[in-house]
């Protein structure tokens, strides 16, 4: 399967916004998950990632500079049994709550819509990794910037060695910011978590990158290995 180098994709795009990558290492041993956030405003840049057990949360770097926490403070990652949920907003908890009650990733996201941040109407991107390495990605976005119409798209994948899929909130920088279009991009995944971390972090725009989370989940044992990088530290 032909894959793109995610470093090349990121270096060619100064503002993809927030991004999720899920895939399988070439040796087939691990499921790889990555999530990054970027920011153009002071409020968006005033964040760090912090581990909370197996979960991940965002928090303000400088509490005195927080302007509006509603769309920047949330849990990007929640672990529910053998499932790992990763999203760019508080829909992480919507999915977690649905799974706990016997619902599904898809049914939970059908209750949500894009973010109410006119005129961008930032898409809500989400992913879930299931036992065995199968995974799904989703995007909830406005139809060509129309706040009255929400498009809900879902993409399901079986694990393929060395292959991952990358979805992000914006196609590129702009005013207003244009939403991601099309299917998630097919990208290569390395065997080494630190190689993956360095590739992603070094390729993100130096001015706009904020935080990065990378996790490998062993497909046989379920054991996890995690890396977190914060520009503010």
């Amino acid at each position: 399967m032909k894959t793109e180098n995610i470093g090349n994709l990121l270096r060619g795009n100064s503002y993809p916004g927030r991004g999720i990558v899920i895939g399988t290492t070439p040796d087939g041993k691990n499921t790889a998950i990555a999530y990054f956030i970027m920011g153009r405003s002071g409020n968006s840049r005033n964040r760090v990632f912090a581990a909370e057990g197996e979960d991940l949360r965002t928090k303000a770097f400088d509490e005195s500079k927080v302007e509006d926490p509603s769309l920047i403070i949330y849990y990007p990652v929640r672990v529910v049994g053998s499932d790992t949920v990763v999203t760019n907003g508080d829909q992480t908890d919507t999915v977690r709550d649905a799974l706990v009650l016997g619902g599904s990733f898809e049914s939970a996201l059908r209750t949500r819509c894009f973010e109410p941040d006119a005129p961008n109407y930032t898409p809500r991107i989400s992913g879930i990794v299931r036992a065995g390495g199968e995974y799904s990605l989703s995007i909830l976005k406005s139809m060509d910037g129309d706040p009255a119409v929400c498009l809900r798209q879902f993409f399901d994948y079986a694990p393929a060695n060395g292959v991952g899929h990358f979805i992000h909130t914006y196609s590129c920088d702009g005013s207003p910011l244009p939403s991601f279009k099309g299917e998630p991009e097919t990208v290569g995944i390395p065997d080494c978590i630190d190689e993956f971390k360095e590739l992603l972090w070094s390729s993100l725009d130096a001015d706009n990158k904020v935080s990065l989370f990378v996790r490998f989940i062993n497909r046989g044992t379920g054991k996890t290995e995690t890396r977190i990088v914060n520009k503010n530290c």
Side-chain angles (χ1 to χ4, degrees):
M1 181 181 294
K2 184 179 184 300
T3 61
E4 299 285 344
N5 183 304
I6 194 168
N8 293 339
L9 294 176
L10 291 173
R11 285 190 290 270
N13 188 347
S14 64
Y15 202 68
R18 287 165 273 175
I20 296 171
V21 187
I22 303 177
T24 307
T25 54
D27 60 14
K29 293 181 180 178
N30 295 290
T31 299
I33 303 173
Y35 176 63
F36 65 78
I37 59 174
M38 306 180 78
R40 299 190 303 177
S41 69
N43 195 49
S44 292
R45 292 178 175 181
N46 182 35
R47 288 183 287 176
V48 294
F49 283 167
E52 195 169 279
E54 287 293 285
D55 295 345
L56 180 77
R57 65 186 178 96
T58 65
K59 66 176 186 177
F61 176 65
D62 184 340
E63 294 283 356
S64 68
K65 294 181 179 179
V66 174
E67 299 169 13
D68 178 7
S70 63
L71 294 177
I72 66 167
I73 304 300
Y74 56 93
Y75 281 86
V77 176
R78 291 283 202 183
V79 176
V80 186
S82 59
D83 296 333
T84 300
V85 180
V86 53
T87 91
N88 72 324
D90 63 10
Q91 73 268 25
T92 315
D93 289 343
T94 303
V95 175
R96 178 203 58 180
D97 293 347
L99 294 176
V100 168
L101 294 174
S104 68
F105 176 74
E106 294 80 7
S107 65
L109 291 173
R110 289 192 177 102
T111 70
R112 301 300 305 268
C113 200
F114 46 82
E115 294 181 358
D117 59 337
N120 296 316
Y121 302 113
T122 297
R124 292 188 186 272
I125 55 172
S126 307
I128 185 169
V129 174
R130 302 178 177 89
E134 293 187 351
Y135 58 97
S136 299
L137 290 167
S138 169
I139 184 168
L140 315 179
K141 61 183 181 179
S142 67
M143 186 173 71
D144 297 323
D146 183 350
V149 182
C150 181
L151 304 179
R152 297 178 177 88
Q153 299 174 337
F154 298 89
F155 307 90
D156 299 324
Y157 300 99
N161 292 358
V163 176
H165 293 89
F166 173 37
I167 194 167
H168 40 101
T169 52
Y170 309 124
S171 294
C172 57
D173 206 345
S175 184
L177 289 159
S179 295
F180 179 90
K181 291 185 178 180
E183 295 184 13
E185 294 159 304
T186 305
V187 298
I189 304 290
D191 275 325
C192 174
I193 189 172
D194 288 311
E195 179 185 344
F196 195 32
K197 178 200 73 174
E198 292 300 328
L199 173 64
L200 292 168
W201 189 247
S202 66
S203 301
L204 289 166
D205 183 84
D207 292 329
N208 294 323
K209 64 184 178 183
V210 175
S211 295
L212 169 68
F213 163 92
V214 181
R215 173 169 291 168
F216 276 17
I217 305 171
N218 186 285
R219 293 175 61 196
T221 66
K223 183 179 178 181
T224 64
E225 190 174 4
T226 300
R227 302 288 187 271
I228 295 173
V229 186
N230 291 306
K231 188 174 182 180
N232 295 314
C233 57

